[in-house]
């Protein structure tokens, strides 16, 4: 993987650099995808650029945003096929007022079955959290 700018206080930069644990399901030079440690649904995945930018409003965000487009596409297909999802919800926030809590540009991909209950809050799904090892194995084997 190529070197990218990082923020030493950013948990996603630490994950990207291998200094913090994560369950990666997709990786390319400019982007990666890993299972959310507090999933809202089974297979809840974060797709992030390797280059640190805070959000869509950050100076220089256009290049990393363009670079992660293919990773978003590939990860969505992996989740749909690997978990037999009927759809994928994509969630993204910019700034604290919008609900962003990790200030590294990222997208949440949530596999959704046809009969899924509405997504109305950010409460982690405990069953999905307990299934992280099995979900990781399913998506990476």
């Amino acid at each position: 993987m190529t070197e990218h700018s990082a923020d030493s206080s950013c948990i996603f930069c630490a994950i990207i650099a291998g200094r913090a644990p994560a369950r990666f399901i997709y990786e390319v030079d400019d982007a990666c995808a890993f299972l959310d440690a507090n999933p809202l649904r089974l297979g809840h995945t974060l797709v992030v650029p390797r280059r640190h930018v805070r959000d869509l409003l950050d100076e220089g965000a256009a290049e990393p945003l363009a670079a992660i487009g293919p990773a978003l596409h590939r990860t969505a297909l992996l989740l749909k096929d690997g978990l037999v999802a009927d759809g994928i919800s994509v969630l993204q926030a910019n700034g604290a007022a919008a609900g962003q809590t990790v200030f590294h540009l990222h997208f949440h991909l949530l596999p959704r079955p046809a009969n899924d209950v509405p997504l109305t809050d950010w409460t982690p799904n405990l069953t999905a959290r307990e299934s992280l090892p099995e979900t990781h194995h399913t998506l990476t084997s």
Side-chain angles (χ1 to χ4, degrees):
M1 301 290 161
T2 56
E3 278 296 311
H4 298 281
S5 63
D7 177 337
S8 62
S9 65
C10 173
I11 185 61
F12 289 173
C13 287
I15 288 170
I16 291 163
R19 295 189 315 271
R23 291 180 170 93
F24 289 91
I25 64 167
Y26 184 80
E27 295 186 78
V28 291
D29 282 347
D30 294 324
C32 57
F34 49 90
L35 295 174
D36 192 303
N38 293 299
L40 304 180
R41 297 291 189 275
L42 182 72
H44 179 173
T45 299
L46 301 174
V47 179
V48 304
R50 290 185 184 276
R51 178 175 153 202
H52 181 84
V53 291
R54 288 178 52 87
D55 58 32
L56 290 174
L57 307 172
D58 202 5
E59 185 68 34
E63 185 180 315
L65 178 62
I68 67 170
L72 285 164
H73 175 71
R74 288 291 184 200
T75 302
L77 291 172
L78 175 66
L79 293 170
K80 183 180 183 317
D81 295 343
L83 299 176
V84 194
D86 296 307
I88 304 287
S89 289
V90 179
L91 308 173
Q92 203 274 329
N94 299 279
Q100 186 179 8
T101 58
V102 176
F103 296 94
H104 183 119
L105 179 64
H106 62 285
F107 290 79
H108 298 258
L109 274 62
L110 287 85
R112 307 288 296 275
N115 62 347
D116 199 7
V117 297
L119 184 62
T120 57
D121 65 28
W122 288 86
T123 303
N125 179 299
L126 298 180
T127 303
R129 183 186 299 163
E130 291 166 0
S131 299
L132 280 171
E134 293 85 7
T135 303
H136 182 249
H137 178 75
T138 298
L139 294 170
T140 58
S141 58

